[in-house]
Amino acid sequence: MSTDGGVCILGLGWLGEPLAAALLAQGYRVAGTTTDAAKAERLRREGVQAEVWNINGPLPSAWPARLAADSLILCVPPGKVEDYAATLGRIATLAAAGGVRRLLFTSATSVYGGTGVKTEADSGPDSERGERMLAAERMVRQSGIPQVLCLRLSGLVGGSREPGRFLAGRRFEGGEEPVNLVALEDLLRFIPAILAREEWPHTLNVSSPHHPSRREFYTRAALLRALPPPVFAGGGEGKRIDGDALARWLGLDYRVTNWFAWLAERKTGG
């Protein structure tokens, strides 16, 4: 896939900002949005056509020319958007009318309910968050953009997201449930590789193949940061997200295949 058509990243945050840097390094023309004017100015100096846009405000009547791109990546978490599914649907429809022909939506594995191993064919939410994410997937697919890939991300760690702090010192149920996680470093490898492909599948999961129990992982993560470990009650079967289809399709293995080694490396690296 040529880099000439450019990429627009809606949401230059935890994932969007380092992704923009990675794509610039590969020769892409990159545009994107943030709600922070100072951050937008800094990103412009770094080569990103960054624009200030609060998507909870009135949307433009047409897709902004400054955000014109062949591919659009939606990196906006639901907690920051009012009426999430409808808003993303309207944005995607604007983008379609503005010439965007491929959309990658960073969805979430909350669309999977129940227990056991979950593949891309198994969506059936059992939570309000999962229902909201699945509704957002439906809305962006109805936008008129020719290719839409819903990339269902497991729990996000790496960068500023330090898992040792997530549950430290708190009490939780389900200590024996498996963790489903993906590291920022793997996302920054996978997403550019996806953009380089001409044809996209409908849906892909992103989840490291290592699924230790919540008790094991979060206890180790807290102790390595000298934080009080969480206290877990009960067991729980939980669900395990199968992210192998992505690796097979791309021919690109996960870099993080042992979360305990990853935690130790982060501790050593400070």
Side-chain angles (χ1 to χ4, degrees), residues 164-205:
R165 301 189 182 100
F166 288 178
L167 310 183
R170 299 163 64 189
R171 291 182 173 272
F172 292 90
E173 299 290 331
E176 301 313 310
E177 294 180 10
V179 298
N180 298 287
L181 300 169
V182 59
L184 177 61
E185 61 201 81
D186 270 328
L187 291 173
L188 296 181
R189 296 166 61 243
F190 288 143
I191 294 177
I194 290 169
L195 291 171
R197 292 295 188 97
E198 289 286 350
E199 298 296 328
W200 291 353
H202 185 267
T203 307
L204 287 168
N205 295 335

Side-chain angles (χ1 to χ4, degrees), residues 43-68:
L43 289 170
R44 288 186 199 113
R45 292 195 298 269
E46 295 171 3
V48 179
Q49 179 55 52
E51 297 295 333
V52 178
W53 188 7
N54 179 4
I55 65 174
N56 287 316
L59 297 180
S61 58
W63 189 249
R66 61 188 176 274
L67 299 180

Side-chain angles (χ1 to χ4, degrees), residues 234-254:
E237 180 183 351
K239 61 191 176 189
R240 183 170 65 82
I241 306 301
D242 184 344
D244 289 350
L246 170 66
R248 290 194 301 270
W249 177 61
L250 290 176
L252 190 63
D253 291 334
Y254 286 83

Side-chain angles (χ1 to χ4, degrees), residues 23 43 54 84 169 200 216 238 255-256:
L23 293 174
L43 289 170
N54 179 4
Y84 188 66
W200 291 353
E216 292 175 300
R255 184 164 290 164
V256 179

